[in-house]
Amino acid sequence: MLRIVAAFAVVCALPRVARAEPKIDKVVLALDDGAVVVHGHGLAGMQAKWHGGATCDQPEVGSAGDDICRFPATGAETEWPWLPAAAAGSDGSAALVPATLHELTIDRVELAMLVRPDAVIDAFSAGAAVPLRHAERIADVDCAPAACVVDGDGLLVSNVPAGATSLAVRVRLAPRVVLRRGDAVESSPVLHIPIARCPLAVASGAPLRDVDAQTVVVKLGGRCARELDALHFQIAGQAVEPSRVAPAGDASYVALRAGRLGGDTVVIAAMLARDDGVVAQVRAATRAAPVVHVALALAGRAIDYVPTNVAAAARATAADWDGPLAIAPIDGVYSADAGPNAAQLVRGVASGGGGTVALRVTLRRSVPALGDVDLARVAEPVQRSLREATSAAPLLGAHPLVEVLCDAGDGNGVAPIAPGSTAHVAFDRNDSCRLVLHRERLDPALGAQRLELEVDVTRVDGSPRSEARVARHLSLTHDDQPRTLYLRGAESRFDRYSVRLSEDDDGDRGDRDDASPLPSAQWSIVTGRGRARIYATSAIPTGLYRVSDRDHSGILTLNFGVLARATWLDALGREGILCAEAGALTVGLAGDTSATGKSLTQIATVAGFGLSVPIANRALAAETSVNLHAWLEFEPSRALGAGNGDAIAFVFGPSITVGNLGADL
C-alpha cells in the first residue's frame, strides 16, 4: 500500500518538474525605457536574476502571438542571468526540482533619443557643444557643411552655415544599436538640431534701393548685445562698419554704414570676427527712395531758385516718408542752417558763375537709444538756379539810398533836395543838380536793386524838352563808393526837372505780393527864383477905343508901340495875368478919324493896367500874348500947346504883344 502511494506521488510530481524550457526569440535592451524586453514563447514565470530579480508572471501577447516580458534594467549591467519557471511545492514554499541558471544575450540596444528635445546649437560660440545621450553608442557623426565631432559626452559643432536655422547631423550608431522613432528604428538616424542665433531686426525701416550711401540701424539681442566687440557686420555680403552703438536694456542698437544697395531684399548679418561664423542674420525687404520736395521762400513769398546773397526759408517734404527731413548742405555750393519755427535757412555760395543745383535732403528716423539718425541723402528731382536774390530796399529814410543834391545859390553850397516837394535853385546854378546813388549804404543781403530812372525837363509853360528826357534802367549794387549822375537839359528860366526813381518790377521779388505799390521817390526842381518880373514887350493893339474930346475920340484900328510891364510870378515862374503897364504908342496908323473928321494918328504915351494871357513861348524872349488894356493916354503935343483938345484920354481895347525881355525880382 505504501508503495502505491509513493508511486502515485512520484507520478503526480513528474509533470511539475519536467516543464518545457522557454524559447527566447529576441532580447532588446531599451536603455531610455530602463527595461530589457524579451520576446519568445513559454515565458510565463521567467525570472530575471539581476538587481534582486523579477518574475514575468503574465507576459504580454505580441502582435505575432508571442510572449513579451519586460524586466527592469539600469543600463549598467554587464551580465543578464535568468531562470525559467521554478518547480515549487504544493504550498509554493520550495522548489522540488532546482532550475538551471541561464544567461541572456542582448540582440539589440534601442535608444529613445540621442539629444534632448531642447538642445540647440549656439552659433555665437566658437565651438558650440551640444550635450549627447549615450555618446558611447555613437560610432561616427557627419554634419557637413558644418564641422562636428563627438567629444566626451558632447557634440562639438563649428563653421555653422550662414542663414541656416537648423543643422542636420547624420549619426552612425554602434553595431546592434538603433534609435527608435515610433514603431520604426534606425541605425543611421539624421538629427535636426536647431541653431540658436542672436535676435536681429532692422530698427530703421526698410533699407533704400539705389542710394549712394545710407545708414541702416539694427537691433541685436541676446549674447550679441553684450559682446559687440566680438562681432563684425555685413550687408549684402559687403563688410560694413558701425558708426554708432547704444545699449537699451537687454538689447543694443547699432548704426551701420552701407553702400549702394540693389534688389528687392538684402541680407544683414552679424559674424564672429574670429571665424566668420554667422551669429545673427535678417533678410529685409528694400524700398525705393522717397521723392522729396523743398519749398523755398523769401519774406513769405515762394521762390524757385537758391539765393546767394540772403538766406531763404526752406522746408522739405516727402509724401511717402514718415520720419523727419532736413536740408543737407553741400560744401562750396550752398549752406543749410537751423531757422525759426522748424524751418531751415538755405543760402547759396556766391561763385560769380551762377549754375544750378538739386537740393539734397537728409532722411531721418527716430530710433530708441540713438534718437534721430541720418539714414540717407536723396536729391530733389528738379534743378534750381543759384543766383542773387533781390529784395526791395527802402530808397528813402534816415540814410537814403538815393538823393538829389543842388546848389540852391543861397550860399550854403550843395545840399539835399527834399523829395516830394518843389525846390528852387538859381538858374545859373542848374548845372549843380545831381542824383547820388549811395551804393555804400545798400545792405548786400538785399541784392541788386533794379531801378527805373526817369528825368523830364519841362519849360515854364509845361511843354517838355524832349531832347533832355532820360529813361534808364539802373542796377544798384553794394560798393564802397556812391555813384553820381548829373542832371542836364535846363536851358531857360524856370525850366523844371522832374526826377522819378522807382523799383523795376520784373516779377521776381521775394518781399511783397503783386498788389503792393512800388517803392519810389520823386523830386521836382525849378531852375529859377523870383516873386515879380519887369519886362519889355512890343504891342500891336487893334481896335482900341479912345475916349477924349469930340475931335480926338474914336476907334484906333491899328496901333504899334512898346510897353514896359510889371507883374508877379508864381512858384513855377509863371507870370500873373494882371500887369501894370506903361509905354509909347503910335496910334491911328490906319488913317483913323474922329466923328468930326479930325485925324486920330499921333504918338502917345500910355499907363495903366492890362490882362495878359501868353499863347506861345511863355517866359521866353519871343513870348506872344493876347491882352486887354485899360490905359490913361497922355498926348504930349496937346499938352504942350501945339494942338487943340484934351491932353489926357482914356484908351481901352485888345492887343497882341510879342517879346519878353526883362528881369526877375
Side-chain angles (χ1 to χ4, degrees):
M1 185 66 174
L2 290 174
R3 291 178 179 176
I4 294 172
V5 172
F8 179 79
V10 173
V11 172
C12 292
L14 285 176
R16 298 178 60 188
V17 175
R19 296 181 62 179
E21 288 286 332
K23 180 183 178 183
I24 297 177
D25 298 329
K26 179 176 63 176
V27 179
V28 176
L29 173 59
L31 281 180
D32 293 317
D33 296 338
V36 171
V37 182
V38 181
H39 296 258
H41 296 80
L43 302 183
M46 179 180 175
Q47 302 176 40
K49 302 302 292 182
W50 60 89
H51 293 297
T55 302
C56 180
D57 293 325
Q58 295 182 345
E60 301 176 19
V61 179
S63 59
D66 56 345
D67 293 339
I68 299 175
C69 286
R70 298 179 183 274
F71 300 99
T74 64
E77 297 86 352
T78 58
E79 296 181 351
W80 309 93
W82 65 279
L83 287 175
S90 58
D91 58 0
S93 59
L96 297 179
V97 179
T100 302
L101 190 65
H102 300 277
E103 184 76 19
L104 286 177
T105 298
I106 303 300
D107 297 305
R108 187 173 70 192
V109 177
E110 287 186 359
L111 308 176
M113 66 178 67
L114 290 174
V115 295
R116 292 177 54 86
D118 58 353
V120 294
I121 298 172
D122 185 1
F124 195 91
S125 300
V130 180
L132 291 174
R133 293 172 60 87
H134 316 298
E136 73 282 358
R137 306 285 182 175
I138 297 175
D140 191 18
V141 292
D142 179 20
C143 56
C148 56
V149 65
V150 176
D151 182 17
D153 290 334
L155 178 68
L156 297 182
V157 182
S158 60
N159 297 329
V160 178
T165 58
S166 64
L167 184 65
V169 180
R170 289 166 287 279
V171 179
R172 185 166 61 85
L173 297 173
R176 296 188 299 165
V177 178
V178 297
L179 178 66
R180 185 178 70 245
R181 290 179 173 173
D183 294 333
V185 295
E186 299 177 72
S187 59
S188 297
V190 177
L191 307 178
H192 294 276
I193 305 176
I195 298 174
R197 301 182 186 274
C198 296
L200 178 64
V202 179
S204 57
L208 303 177
R209 292 192 298 273
D210 302 323
V211 175
D212 290 338
Q214 64 180 300
T215 296
V216 179
V217 181
V218 296
K219 178 182 179 182
L220 272 171
R223 184 177 173 184
C224 297
R226 300 186 298 273
E227 301 185 36
L228 288 173
D229 292 341
L231 300 177
H232 67 258
F233 298 87
Q234 286 186 352
I235 295 180
Q238 301 295 320
V240 294
E241 292 295 328
S243 58
R244 294 173 62 190
V245 175
D250 58 354
S252 288
Y253 291 88
V254 182
L256 304 174
R257 295 173 180 165
R260 194 176 187 88
L261 302 178
D264 295 332
T265 60
V266 63
V267 175
I268 304 172
M271 311 176 72
L272 289 171
R274 53 182 175 267
D275 62 359
D276 286 343
V278 176
V279 297
Q281 179 172 287
V282 64
R283 182 179 297 272
T286 61
R287 58 161 293 181
V291 178
V292 297
H293 175 69
V294 179
L296 295 177
L298 276 177
R301 181 174 180 179
I303 59 174
D304 59 358
Y305 61 93
V306 179
T308 58
N309 61 320
V310 66
R315 291 183 183 273
T317 57
D320 54 349
W321 184 258
D322 57 354
L325 299 171
I327 313 298
I330 300 178
D331 292 340
V333 181
Y334 67 86
S335 63
D337 302 309
N341 301 323
Q344 287 184 273
L345 300 178
V346 173
R347 179 172 179 172
V349 176
S351 61
T356 60
V357 65
L359 295 177
R360 297 328 192 244
V361 177
T362 299
L363 307 178
R364 290 176 174 169
R365 289 279 191 198
S366 182
V367 179
L370 291 178
D372 285 343
V373 178
D374 294 348
L375 300 184
R377 290 184 180 182
V378 295
E380 266 195 304
V382 297
Q383 294 280 333
R384 298 176 184 266
S385 61
L386 286 161
R387 61 184 177 86
E388 191 177 72
T390 54
S391 297
L395 300 182
L396 306 175
H399 302 284
L401 290 180
V402 291
E403 286 184 306
V404 173
L405 305 178
C406 289
D407 183 353
D410 54 5
N412 294 324
V414 177
I417 301 299
S421 61
T422 300
H424 289 76
V425 300
F427 177 70
D428 59 356
R429 304 295 176 91
N430 71 82
D431 290 339
S432 69
C433 293
R434 70 204 73 170
L435 175 68
V436 181
L437 306 176
H438 290 285
R439 297 179 295 183
E440 76 282 3
R441 298 176 182 175
L442 177 62
D443 185 353
L446 299 179
Q449 301 299 301
R450 293 185 288 277
L451 306 175
E452 287 185 358
L453 171 64
E454 293 180 281
V455 179
D456 289 304
V457 182
T458 56
R459 300 181 179 91
V460 68
D461 61 355
S463 61
R465 294 189 181 274
S466 58
E467 72 281 1
R469 175 173 170 76
V470 175
R472 296 178 57 183
H473 294 278
L474 303 178
S475 179
L476 181 61
T477 57
H478 178 79
D479 197 280
D480 293 336
Q481 298 297 326
R483 182 181 179 185
T484 301
L485 302 174
Y486 281 90
L487 305 182
R488 61 176 180 82
E491 298 179 0
S492 301
R493 296 177 302 105
F494 295 102
D495 279 356
R496 182 173 61 175
Y497 288 117
S498 295
V499 182
R500 293 178 295 277
L501 199 63
S502 58
E503 282 191 325
D504 181 6
D505 185 19
D506 60 358
D508 184 31
R509 292 294 188 185
D511 58 349
R512 66 180 188 274
D513 56 34
D514 294 337
S516 299
L518 294 173
S520 61
Q522 180 169 300
W523 297 264
S524 181
I525 304 165
V526 177
T527 58
R529 182 183 289 117
R531 292 189 175 90
R533 179 169 177 77
I534 297 176
Y535 65 94
T537 183
S538 62
I540 307 174
T542 59
L544 290 178
Y545 190 85
R546 176 193 288 159
V547 179
S548 183
D549 58 75
R550 183 175 178 80
D551 291 335
H552 296 91
S553 298
I555 297 176
L556 304 174
T557 306
L558 181 62
N559 314 274
F560 178 78
V562 177
L563 296 176
R565 283 179 168 171
T567 187
W568 74 88
L569 297 176
D570 65 11
L572 299 181
R574 293 173 297 194
E575 300 163 0
I577 191 173
L578 180 63
C579 332
E581 299 174 324
L585 296 175
T586 299
V587 299
L589 292 176
D592 299 319
T593 60
S594 66
T596 62
K598 297 290 185 180
S599 175
L600 298 179
T601 303
Q602 62 187 37
I603 296 174
T605 60
V606 294
F609 297 95
L611 297 176
S612 178
V613 178
I615 59 174
N617 303 318
R618 186 168 190 165
L620 300 180
E623 178 181 282
T624 302
S625 304
V626 293
N627 311 269
L628 182 63
H629 307 282
W631 295 323
L632 289 177
E633 179 191 44
F634 177 74
E635 202 282 310
S637 62
R638 294 197 301 273
L640 297 176
N644 299 319
D646 294 335
I648 303 297
F650 176 71
V651 179
F652 65 93
S655 75
I656 294 177
T657 59
V658 178
N660 189 330
L661 299 174
D664 299 329
L665 302 177

